[in-house]
Amino acid sequence: MEIKHIGMASSSEENGDLFYRDLLGLKKIGSRKVSADLAKKIFGIDSPLLIINYGDENTQFELFISPQHPENVSARVDHICIQVPDRNRFFEKCRRLNLEILEIRKADGSSIYFIKDFDGNRFEIK
């Protein structure tokens, strides 16, 4: 298993720059927008989201910008993305443990997969 990224929320890009770039020393890698439709399917948030990526050779953070209520968004977007060697085998184990596998179809026809642990922590599975 490999951690691919950690998703967190912030009230502003400026706060993200101060913490992740200036304090942690990570590079600002880029940004992208998540459509309101996809944000609703994945996180239950009915508005588009801006994601700023910060990272280095070992770590990557996806920072979801939400100026209105970052603490509410944080509870919904915080997640860890892991890559497993065999996703089908991993999902078989999830089913045996009665963990729900959430498949979210994107507009391009591809899928994103998430599970939650027994305490509700969200994991994106690659």
Side-chain angles (χ1 to χ4, degrees):
M1 173 181 58
E2 176 184 340
I3 294 178
K4 300 300 285 180
H5 67 258
I6 300 168
M8 309 285 285
S10 178
S11 61
S12 70
E13 186 172 348
E14 293 77 19
N15 283 352
D17 286 349
L18 285 171
F19 188 83
Y20 295 93
R21 185 189 63 198
D22 299 346
L23 176 66
L24 298 183
L26 300 171
K27 292 179 186 169
K28 194 172 189 178
I29 299 169
S31 64
R32 68 186 187 285
K33 290 192 177 189
V34 174
S35 70
D37 180 57
L38 190 56
K40 177 108 173 137
K41 288 178 184 176
I42 298 173
F43 303 116
I45 297 171
D46 200 11
S47 64
L49 293 170
L50 173 64
I51 300 174
I52 309 290
N53 293 315
Y54 298 89
D56 61 17
E57 61 278 352
N58 298 314
T59 307
Q60 183 169 336
F61 286 90
E62 286 187 346
L63 197 63
F64 293 78
I65 306 301
S66 177
Q68 294 85 6
H69 303 288
E71 63 282 349
N72 294 337
V73 171
S74 181
R76 296 188 199 177
V77 302
D78 288 357
H79 69 280
I80 298 173
C81 177
I82 60 175
Q83 183 165 336
V84 296
D86 183 335
R87 192 164 52 194
N88 290 330
R89 182 171 287 159
F90 181 81
F91 286 158
E92 286 174 18
K93 287 182 180 180
C94 290
R95 287 183 195 96
R96 284 196 300 269
L97 293 170
N98 294 317
L99 293 172
E100 179 184 1
I101 300 161
L102 181 61
E103 178 181 3
I104 297 148
R105 304 289 276 168
K106 294 171 46 176
D108 65 5
S110 64
S111 293
I112 304 171
Y113 298 93
F114 287 88
I115 64 167
K116 289 183 183 178
D117 69 10
F118 300 105
D119 297 300
N121 298 302
R122 187 186 310 256
F123 291 81
E124 181 179 349
I125 308 299
K126 297 227 183 239

